[in-house]
Amino acid sequence: MSGAAPRTGPRPRLRPEQLRSHQWYGTEGQLRTWSHNARMRQLGYEAEEYRGRPVVAVLNTWSDINPCHVHLRDRAEAVKRGVWQAGGFPLEFPVATLSETYQKPTPMLYRNLLAMETEELLRSYPVDAAVLLGGCDKSTPALLMGATSADVPSVFVPAGPMLPGHWRGETLGSGTDMWKYWDEHRAGNLTDCELRELQGALARSPGHCMTMGTASTMTAAAEALGMTLPGASSIPAVDSGHERMAAASGRRAVDLAWTALGPGEILTADAFADAVTTVLGLGGSTNAVIHLIAMAGRVGVPLALDDFDRIARGVPVLANVRPGGRTHLMEDFHFAGGLPAFLSRITDLLHLRRPTVNGLFGDQIEGAAVHDDDVIRPRTNPVAAEGGVAVLRGNLCPDGAVIKHIAAEPRLLRHTGPAVVFDDYKTMQRTIDDPGLGITADSVLVLRNSGPKGGPGMPEYGMLPIPRHLLKQGVRDMVRISDARMSGTSYGACVLHIAPESYVGGPLALVRTGDLVTLDVAARTLRLDVDEDELARRRAGWSPPPVRTRRGYGALYDDQITQADTGCDFAFLAGPGKVPDPYAG
């Protein structure tokens, strides 16, 4: 992994007095400047250590309760080492940790909070560049959204996937095998003791999920966008190469500071098109749809749901990585060549002459080789002929919905069945196994009030559990629809992100148990088979639920959150436009 200078042609190098941090430290004759330097001495630094050098903020999402990021305390030290090596001055900033495992109701509720924190920290402190340490699902888009809005030169350091799990001769994928074996336990095929063994075998090192879940999808997207060093997104968290990459990222951040190459020049429309192509070709998480739309909005790139569907039809799935693939995990993907090798097989679909933090995009792919044709398939033998996510329209989702159809049983991709409606997740949990509901394998399970406002935060409720009596009959997939999201490690015929959501009066609010629902992925439709007059009567009888949160961040969220099809950003943040730097004198 190299921290070499970009080959985009010479960029003018700033003089020391042109560095942003000079406003704080270098303007002689000002009381505030004198005070800033006095406080640096209070911190133990002499002026020659930082004045005239790029100040690099190391934004660290480390936390004792975030297993995806628990190693980032050490990686921050490696980043600092690289910054020092390149002649910069590193300062570490602790920022909010978004732990997919523990934070309730969902860290998605707080993605925009971390984005705001990132933006405001980078703007308000004497910072010339930043290194962003994250990787768990929402931290990647949040950090990049904030750095983009601040437009401070930044490099993203992915946390890296954890090591594969192992149990009784089987290789386990976190998340994916959790869902699988939990259902086997509910079906009576796995004992409590076996489940306990699995609990200790599923996740055995620091790092984010090692399937192609949301974490791996979004770090790959960050690399495809050009915001990481080449190959960074798949390095296992505990591999020594991960520490070397962190140090190289610190060196690179110093170079970016001297040339003032910010995210605004890197995150172009071509960059987002390539990120979408990458996500779809990887068979990546449906959550990437929401995050990439939000990220694009921060630079004014008009990315929409229909762009995903259009691109998907021309992109084969080449990554045989669970859950979209059937076999391998992220460590296999890394040693098969990682993202540069994957991208080398779809170069005709990419924009190779655009800038990244480390040179032209095409330069990062040139010479990359695939070392295992089963992990990264040739185009003559794809996992699927077209991208793994489809966008649906219809009277149930006039503003769109998504389905990861390559992770569903093919027999369900065209299906009509009677709805069984649950008004909230708690009720669903309590009653899903009740035989009195009359749920059959043909039923369509419907969950509402779980979207951006209704969740709140759009929790990952979308992979509704299959009733126990059907599991015992061997059923492992059903059509399920909701305005929620689902984990990128999940699978099944789950229609997600229905917009507008039921909580604000979207058509999902009008569905009643027994109504026929038709899903047709090939036709890209989701339809409620109820005539318009009846729907109009139901709509007239619907009333909005009362506001639940009237204080703090929750009130701000409820007031400003947008719908899934536009990225769930805050309305007052969703757009380009840099706030002026503060006066530092």
Side-chain angles (χ1 to χ4, degrees):
M1 178 87 38
S2 166
R7 287 181 279 168
T8 55
R11 290 178 63 87
R13 183 180 169 91
L14 301 181
R15 300 186 303 275
E17 62 271 21
Q18 292 177 301
L19 291 171
R20 188 173 176 272
S21 57
H22 179 80
Q23 301 172 57
W24 277 261
Y25 298 132
T27 52
E28 299 293 347
Q30 299 290 336
L31 172 62
R32 291 292 183 186
T33 302
W34 184 90
S35 173
H36 296 152
N37 285 288
R39 295 303 187 180
M40 290 301 284
R41 298 192 77 175
Q42 179 186 10
L43 289 168
Y45 301 113
E46 293 289 356
E48 56 266 26
E49 295 184 70
Y50 61 89
R51 285 182 63 173
R53 299 171 181 262
V55 177
V56 177
V58 183
L59 269 59
N60 195 350
T61 54
W62 169 88
S63 167
D64 272 333
I65 201 170
N66 192 335
C68 304
H69 295 178
V70 73
H71 59 305
L72 292 184
R73 174 180 275 178
D74 293 334
R75 294 301 176 270
E77 293 304 313
V79 170
K80 292 178 192 177
R81 184 177 84 227
V83 172
W84 284 117
Q85 289 168 348
F89 182 76
L91 292 171
E92 186 174 356
F93 291 74
V95 292
T97 191
L98 305 184
S99 173
E100 202 65 33
T101 308
Y102 292 108
Q103 199 165 24
K104 305 300 179 186
T106 168
M108 183 64 178
L109 184 66
Y110 302 104
R111 183 200 68 183
N112 297 342
L113 181 63
L114 176 54
M116 292 173 68
E117 182 182 21
T118 299
E119 178 180 351
E120 299 305 329
L121 281 176
L122 294 181
R123 177 180 298 119
S124 59
Y125 280 96
V127 168
D128 301 301
V131 179
L132 315 170
L133 277 67
C136 192
D137 297 14
K138 313 307 176 294
S139 61
T140 300
L143 290 166
L144 290 172
M145 287 162 68
T148 297
S149 292
D151 202 25
V152 168
S154 300
V155 182
F156 183 72
V157 172
M162 69 178 85
L163 296 178
H166 293 283
W167 179 70
R168 297 190 178 187
E170 292 191 44
T171 300
L172 303 176
S174 58
T176 300
D177 281 311
M178 176 186 74
W179 312 115
K180 171 185 171 182
Y181 284 111
W182 186 257
D183 277 352
E184 293 305 318
H185 178 255
R186 291 179 64 229
N189 298 330
L190 205 66
T191 67
D192 289 344
C193 289
E194 288 171 322
L195 201 64
R196 176 77 175 177
E197 282 183 33
L198 273 162
Q199 196 176 58
L202 193 65
R204 64 186 187 91
S205 82
H208 59 66
C209 290
M210 73 306 240
T211 52
M212 190 57 72
T214 305
S216 293
T217 300
M218 289 311 302
T219 55
E223 183 175 337
L225 285 167
M227 293 302 296
T228 78
L229 295 185
S233 63
S234 63
I235 304 173
V238 295
D239 191 296
S240 64
H242 196 268
E243 183 167 348
R244 296 194 299 272
M245 177 270 293
S249 297
R251 295 193 293 271
R252 191 74 207 99
V254 175
D255 290 338
L256 291 174
W258 282 123
T259 57
L261 178 61
E265 293 184 66
I266 294 170
L267 298 179
T268 61
D270 287 347
F272 279 101
D274 289 349
V276 172
T277 298
T278 299
V279 165
L280 294 169
L282 291 170
S285 169
T286 51
N287 288 310
V289 178
I290 292 176
H291 296 318
L292 285 171
I293 289 173
M295 292 162 68
R298 292 297 182 102
V299 285
V301 171
L303 185 64
L305 281 179
D306 289 341
D307 294 314
F308 284 82
D309 201 69
R310 172 181 53 79
I311 293 172
R313 293 176 186 269
V315 179
V317 178
L318 301 182
N320 185 16
V321 179
R322 291 184 253 172
R326 296 292 181 260
T327 311
H328 300 287
L329 296 171
M330 284 304 297
E331 187 173 21
D332 304 310
F333 182 79
H334 177 66
F335 290 113
L339 197 68
F342 168 84
L343 295 173
S344 74
R345 293 199 153 162
I346 56 170
T347 53
D348 58 306
L349 305 176
L350 304 173
H351 302 84
L352 304 177
R353 301 296 299 171
R354 59 182 177 84
T356 75
V357 297
N358 202 62
L360 291 180
F361 187 51
D363 292 344
Q364 315 213 28
I365 303 169
E366 186 178 355
V370 174
H371 306 303
D372 189 326
D373 282 343
D374 190 51
V375 180
I376 302 174
R377 297 280 186 86
R379 286 169 75 160
T380 54
N381 182 32
V383 175
E386 63 176 42
V389 174
V391 175
L392 309 175
R393 302 278 180 178
N395 67 349
L396 260 180
C397 51
D399 292 339
V402 301
I403 183 171
K404 188 173 181 176
H405 55 92
I406 63 167
E409 291 189 8
R411 65 182 177 83
L412 294 172
L413 298 182
R414 186 173 184 179
H415 178 82
T416 298
V420 179
V421 179
F422 300 95
D423 281 325
D424 60 80
Y425 191 71
K426 288 182 181 178
T427 301
M428 183 279 299
Q429 281 186 307
R430 188 177 68 252
T431 62
I432 189 67
D433 292 326
D434 182 358
L437 294 179
I439 300 174
T440 72
D442 290 329
S443 298
V444 175
L445 304 180
V446 177
L447 175 66
R448 55 190 175 206
N449 297 318
S450 298
K453 282 180 175 279
M458 209 177 178
E460 293 182 339
Y461 294 162
M463 187 182 172
L464 279 69
I466 293 170
R468 192 184 304 269
H469 69 276
L470 293 179
L471 289 171
K472 290 180 177 179
Q473 294 171 24
V475 176
R476 293 295 181 271
D477 199 3
M478 297 175 65
V479 174
R480 290 156 276 183
I481 67 173
S482 72
D483 43 19
R485 298 177 300 111
M486 78 175 185
S487 168
T489 66
S490 300
Y491 51 87
C494 303
V495 179
L496 312 158
H497 310 180
I498 287 180
E501 64 177 306
S502 56
Y503 199 78
V504 299
L508 196 66
L510 310 180
V511 184
R512 295 180 180 175
T513 293
D515 290 346
L516 290 180
V517 175
T518 296
L519 167 67
D520 190 336
V521 173
R524 299 299 199 261
T525 59
L526 179 69
R527 187 178 71 252
L528 179 62
D529 297 331
V530 174
D531 68 63
E532 285 302 315
D533 289 343
E534 172 60 20
L535 290 178
R537 284 190 289 272
R538 295 181 188 182
R539 191 173 291 109
W542 181 85
S543 57
V547 175
R548 291 179 297 185
T549 306
R550 298 184 181 275
R551 67 179 304 277
Y553 176 74
L556 173 65
Y557 177 93
D558 189 72
D559 180 66
Q560 290 292 318
I561 195 67
T562 63
Q563 289 291 295
D565 60 304
T566 54
C568 296
D569 202 356
F570 285 166
F572 73 99
L573 293 175
K578 186 174 182 287
V579 174
D581 281 341
Y583 176 61

